[in-house]
């Protein structure tokens, strides 16, 4: 059987260039159709994940809502054992909700469906955000120190404030989860046209081999330690969000001593011609 390459060679040798061009054109059209088909299939897959995740969220919200009403003894008194089981139902539905939200984010990131809501963002506001304050409280309750330092010359940046909080929450909650002694330091500094954010902990650290794979989906280094609380999706989402902002993420770590997760993002926002809300 003669392959496309052979065909063209024969045609060219015989100076039938017009035939060669025609053959190549046909091949290009065929490949273009294939690419279109793959694209449609991948869009369908993303849409499917999207719909399923939304459909799962509604009943889950009801489960959590009614369990909370039960726990608050709105429908009658409960004994301690009944209360403890209902608390488990609430905790588990929260975990499931978090997993669904993360799967949705992964699907949206891979299909390019996350659109940033770019605005001027002040790091002082991030420091005072309720979600960050809640993490500070969580760290303190665990007996850890919690320091949030913003250098005096750090300017406002152009970013999506909610997505930025999501990045901070992910990195800080990981730092708390994997630290038993010492504490967490967040340091924000200006580096030329960028801002560098570091989340430094004194926790278990990460080996050299694991460092390379950390930002991949579903990767968990120590499954036994956090199998009840983690999904292995957090860092891959954080990386996707940092990249969307035109930045990059990295980690320095020494096993047993702690980790320094950092990201660097441009002060003026990602390089696109999007309009910025004042
Ligand atoms: P998870 O939901 O499991 O925390 P992540 O993607 O956020 O998923 O993290 C992936 C893995 O990276 C974690 O399971 C953990 O093994 C490791 N890891 C993340 N942050 C830290 C940290 N600060 N110190 C040590 N290990 C960490």
């Amino acid at each position: 059987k003669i392959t496309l390459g052979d065909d063209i060679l024969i045609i060219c040798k015989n100076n039938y260039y017009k035939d060669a061009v025609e053959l190549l054109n046909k091949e290009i059209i065929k490949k273009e159709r294939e690419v279109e088909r793959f694209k449609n299939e991948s869009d369908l897959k993303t849409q499917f994940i999207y719909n399923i995740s939304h459909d799962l969220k509604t009943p889950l919200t009801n489960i959590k809502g009614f369990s909370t009403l039960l726990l608050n003894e709105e429908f009658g008194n409960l004994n301690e054992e009944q209360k403890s089981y209902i608390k488990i139902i609430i905790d588990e539905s929260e975990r499931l909700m978090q997993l669904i939200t993360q799967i949705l984010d992964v699907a949206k990131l891979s299909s390019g469906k996350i659109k940033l809501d770019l605005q001027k963002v002040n790091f002082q506001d991030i420091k005072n955000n309720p979600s960050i304050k809640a993490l500070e409280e969580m760290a303190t309750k665990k007996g850890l120190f919690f320091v949030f330092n913003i250098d005096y010359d750090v300017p406002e940046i152009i970013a999506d404030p909610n997505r930025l909080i999501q990045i901070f929450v992910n990195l800080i909650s990981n730092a708390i989860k994997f630290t038993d002694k010492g504490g967490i330091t967040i340091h924000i500094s200006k580096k030329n046209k960028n801002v560098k954010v570091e989340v430094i902990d004194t926790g278990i650290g990460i080996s050299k081999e694991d460092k390379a794979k950390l930002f991949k989906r579903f990767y968990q280094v120590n499954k036994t330690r956090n199998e009840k609380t983690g999904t292995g999706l957090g860092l891959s989402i954080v990386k996707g969000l940092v990249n969307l902002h035109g930045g990059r993420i990295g980690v320095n770590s020494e096993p047993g001593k702690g980790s320094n997760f950092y990201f660097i993002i441009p002060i003026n926002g990602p390089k696109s011609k999007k309009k910025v809300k004042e």
Side-chain angles (χ1 to χ4, degrees):
K1 194 177 178 295
I2 294 176
T3 64
L4 179 70
D6 294 335
D7 274 350
I8 290 178
L9 213 65
I10 292 166
I11 291 167
C12 288
K13 267 190 191 150
N14 293 321
N15 282 337
Y16 295 143
Y17 292 116
K18 242 178 92 187
D19 291 352
V21 169
E22 208 168 284
L23 199 65
L24 274 175
N25 271 337
K26 269 191 202 154
E27 196 61 20
I28 289 169
I29 290 168
K30 213 166 96 188
K31 291 282 177 229
E32 275 174 355
R33 281 201 189 119
E34 261 173 45
V35 169
E36 190 60 28
R37 191 163 52 82
F38 282 135
K39 206 179 148 288
N40 287 342
E41 274 174 17
S42 143
D43 282 353
L44 263 178
K45 226 190 265 169
T46 312
Q47 194 59 41
F48 175 74
I49 295 173
Y50 208 75
N51 290 346
I52 288 275
S53 304
H54 268 291
D55 291 348
L56 287 173
K57 270 188 172 181
T58 315
L60 204 50
T61 307
N62 288 337
I63 292 173
K64 208 183 139 196
F66 284 115
S67 307
T68 309
L69 286 178
L70 276 173
L71 189 65
N72 292 343
E73 303 190 316
E74 303 276 346
F75 309 119
N77 292 344
L78 300 171
N79 63 36
E80 286 312 307
E81 198 181 5
Q82 287 167 327
K83 278 188 193 168
S84 75
Y85 287 129
I86 294 177
K87 271 190 199 137
I88 295 175
I89 296 176
I90 295 174
D91 285 351
E92 294 292 295
S93 31
E94 253 162 31
R95 227 166 73 75
L96 208 50
M97 190 64 105
Q98 195 198 354
L99 181 60
I100 293 167
T101 309
Q102 285 191 326
I103 290 174
L104 258 177
D105 272 349
V106 168
K108 281 196 265 180
L109 273 169
S110 61
S111 63
K113 283 219 168 68
I114 290 192
K115 297 276 171 274
L116 295 179
D117 178 18
L118 295 174
Q119 304 173 23
K120 281 187 178 165
V121 180
N122 186 319
F123 281 101
Q124 200 62 42
D125 293 339
I126 302 236
K127 183 177 173 177
N128 295 328
N129 181 277
S131 307
I132 306 293
K133 287 280 166 209
L135 286 173
E136 177 171 3
E137 205 183 306
M138 193 197 271
T140 316
K141 264 193 193 150
K142 204 177 165 182
L144 303 171
F145 66 77
F146 188 92
V147 178
F148 199 125
N149 275 334
I150 307 169
D151 283 0
Y152 72 95
D153 61 344
V154 171
E156 285 186 332
I157 66 162
I158 303 294
D160 182 330
N162 292 325
R163 293 299 181 182
L164 210 52
I165 297 276
Q166 188 180 350
I167 296 171
F168 270 85
V169 166
N170 243 294
L171 294 180
I172 298 172
S173 43
N174 273 349
I176 297 172
K177 191 156 75 180
F178 296 103
T179 305
D180 292 329
K181 268 194 301 211
I184 323 296
T185 308
I186 295 135
H187 180 214
I188 306 186
S189 52
K190 181 172 176 279
K191 303 271 178 228
N192 301 320
K193 291 180 172 172
N194 302 298
V195 164
K196 183 176 187 182
V197 176
E198 293 169 276
V199 178
I200 307 155
D201 67 56
T202 55
I204 58 169
I206 298 151
S207 72
K208 218 173 165 187
E209 305 84 68
D210 289 321
K211 258 196 269 181
K213 303 177 214 151
L214 273 190
F215 297 100
K216 296 209 160 75
R217 283 177 210 160
F218 294 112
Y219 191 75
Q220 289 183 303
V221 177
N222 192 344
K223 280 212 185 255
T224 47
R225 184 184 168 104
N226 62 329
E227 65 191 349
K228 262 193 90 77
T229 47
T231 58
L233 286 173
L235 285 177
S236 77
I237 296 171
V238 166
K239 183 176 186 217
L241 292 175
V242 168
N243 292 345
L244 263 187
H245 277 89
R248 64 183 179 86
I249 189 164
V251 60
N252 293 315
S253 182
E254 220 179 298
K257 293 208 169 148
S259 312
N260 178 343
F261 278 85
Y262 62 86
F263 63 92
I264 297 163
I265 47 170
I267 292 169
N268 293 325
K271 277 193 200 116
S272 82
K273 291 181 188 77
K274 257 189 213 153
K275 278 203 174 139
V276 172
K277 277 191 219 157
E278 278 302 315

